[in-house]
């Protein structure tokens, strides 16, 4: 691979990755059991955890994160996405194929933004059920086996349906609020940087924020916004915690001046 | 596998999984080193983390969790279980085989409940020592190499002993207290749902709690108990944090009315 | 391997492990993306997370931890180390080979202590750039592809340079402060136990602390110091949290009486 053109330029080039995207936490009993279930059905598929600490019940915020972060992965990747406050209710279980990527999870809006932005889109409602289905852990019992089988190339165990019936197309193109606070205290929003101008000024928490390229472009302690490494508007402080400096967290609204 | 009967019904069907069950945390230096040690001795065995954030020093609570959660895994699975406040003392290092599953870890009570519930049971005291054994990290130095070798089918490096000498059989069948608080604030107890009636009313923190099937069966904010996906009584609030609503955590007693 | 000499004595014997060492957190979007990037370039290399919760911006503390913890791994191991507050600035991207181990990451001091302690040492400045390089996530975009290729035996994509130009050799041999608080509340310092006498008394937070072998050698609640399983001086309380008992955290100074 060390050609004159250098290393392979894309950072994710291998197909058939399974990516988990959950609010399970990385420490407790849920993620490990779901990954053991994936392994049981598809032992050779690599699995990576994209987010494990999404905000519980915040399906909306998760939907905008998933749309932004999934595009970093190549066609053929499969996202096992579980933010599922309605588990055990009548909400559907769905599979979505969007621009060659697969998404498996609850039909509660989690894939609405994926659907909106897709050039090619197919949807299925899962009609398979495992013999033993718990009332509260469909990630392990239902979604993982289905995801594993799809990753192996099997047909979707369900009925294809019209995307307009499967996904709600009325959600806004961008979400004007904070959707995640990362370990550095940076405030990741549901707004794509490409949706605003290069010199856009944002307001958040009563402050006006200018765009900068990255942390080291401002003095320590300065608050700014920048396009993060997955294309979203992120509010940050160089060598500080924006969440603490601004006193804000998930849900805080932002606006473009 | 897509027969007319559908997907394979069991969620964990692959033997030879190694499952970690620790209070190490998922972030610091302990889990990664222990898994690297497992890998060094058994590079082809898959490893999953069931719990990494058990309450330090709460061997009792961990013992009831392990008994409840291990049965989700097939015979042939091996649990590397380390909640080990007495590391470096004279406590024994043990291997337990119970109903075809293997358990490796400290002989401090962690496998007492496993032993009680087993139909078939064997115990060994490990008498092997690595050349270099730290005083505080037997998970990496001692238990991981032993676990890896057993996973590969090797004989247990120790002396088989009477289960009654290895395990304390006097512990209660169920533990009437909270043993874990999950990421959603749900209170997982040491009581099996099958040990109480379908319409049992529990008390916890001065509240009487009714049984429900799952979260979506009650209005948001309601406190209830239900049988969780691994068979334990769990106290929960729909779209809320039971731990915060009740102001309770690990150790809080429960009772059946 | 069950010879008369027992199990293989070393706990890490397999070469070609890749070890991550970051301040990314184990839950958010960074670690998983970096590991997916590693996988894309070196799908057969095993990856373990040594630390994921290093203190953001504390390059100095991380440098002493890396030097202490990397020696547990065999020659041939590769450390992908990213504590990188200057990402996107002019700081160099470097590769260091020290005593047969590889280190890839920012040239910001993170490898200074590794360099000081090495018997054999080589340094390179990375001059390769991926086609698409984000301003804030070189772990995924730059360091992971380079690390993966080196793990596979490829040449370093950069210019070899004098170690004295690459690494600052003026740092003290040991760091007399707390560099990490583990899940048990133990205070891990940048001081090697071998650098002080067997009966050394330390002071920290106004207390004089005696050396003990391990936790179970003191009564519950006692504060002491001991040589931890990676050779560092660690301040601990048997069955308690030293960080809470002493009211100290990362940065707290220690001294030898």
């Amino acid at each position: 691979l060390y050609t004159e053109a250098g290393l392979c330029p894309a950072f994710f080039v291998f197909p058939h990755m399974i990516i988990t995207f959950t609010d399970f936490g990385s420490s407790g009993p849920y993620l490990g059991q779901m990954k053991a279930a994936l392994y049981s059905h598809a032992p050779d598929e690599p699995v990576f955890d994209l987010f494990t600490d999404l905000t519980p019940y915040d399906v909306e915020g998760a939907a905008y994160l998933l749309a932004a972060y999934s595009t970093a992965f190549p066609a053929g990747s499969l996202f096992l996405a579980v933010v599922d406050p309605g588990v055990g209710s009548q909400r559907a279980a769905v599979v979505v194929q969007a621009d060659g990527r697969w998404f498996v999870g609850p039909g509660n809006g989690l894939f609405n933004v994926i659907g909106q932005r897709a050039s090619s889109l197919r949807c299925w409602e899962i009609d398979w059920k495992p013999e033993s289905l718990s009332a509260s852990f469909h990630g392990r019992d239902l979604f993982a086996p289905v995801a594993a089988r799809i990753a192996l190339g099997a047909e979707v165990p369900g009925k294809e349906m019209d995307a307009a019936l499967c996904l709600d197309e009325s959600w806004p193109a961008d979400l004007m609020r904070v959707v995640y606070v990362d370990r550095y205290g940076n405030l990741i929003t549901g707004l794509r940087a490409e949706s605003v101008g290069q010199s856009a000024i944002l307001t958040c928490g009563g402050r006006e924020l200018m765009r900068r390229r990255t942390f080291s472009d401002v003095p320590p302690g300065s608050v700014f916004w920048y396009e993060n490494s997955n294309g979203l508007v992120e509010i940050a402080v160089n060598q500080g915690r924006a969440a603490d400096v601004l006193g804000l967290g998930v849900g805080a609204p932002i606006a473009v001046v």
Side-chain angles (χ1 to χ4, degrees), chain A residues 6 10 34-35 41 76-77 96 108 128 148 154 159 186 190 198 201 216:
Chain A
M34 190 172 79
K35 289 164 84 168
H41 293 272
S77 301
V96 172
N108 61 5
W128 173 79
K159 199 172 315 206
N186 301 328
Q198 276 293 333
I201 297 174
S216 52

Side-chain angles (χ1 to χ4, degrees), chain A residues 164-248:
Chain A
L165 295 177
C166 182
L167 303 174
D168 180 344
E169 298 174 337
S170 70
W171 287 24
D174 290 280
L175 188 64
M176 300 301 286
R177 67 167 172 91
V178 174
V179 292
Y180 185 78
V181 180
D182 77 5
R183 184 159 189 266
Y184 308 95
N186 301 328
L187 303 166
I188 300 178
T189 74
L191 171 63
R192 289 167 292 178
E194 68 181 40
S195 300
V196 299
Q198 276 293 333
S199 57
I201 297 174
L202 297 185
T203 57
C204 184
R207 308 262 287 243
E208 295 206 336
L209 306 175
M210 310 288 286
R211 180 177 190 152
R212 293 292 176 259
R213 194 182 55 92
T214 189
F215 295 81
S216 52
D217 286 0
V218 300
S222 291
V223 191
F224 64 102
W225 77 265
Y226 78 116
E227 176 176 356
N228 79 9
S229 50
N230 290 81
L232 291 179
V233 166
E234 182 170 315
I235 298 165
V237 170
N238 187 19
Q239 302 196 29
R241 296 183 58 81
D244 297 346
V245 169
L246 299 176
L248 298 174

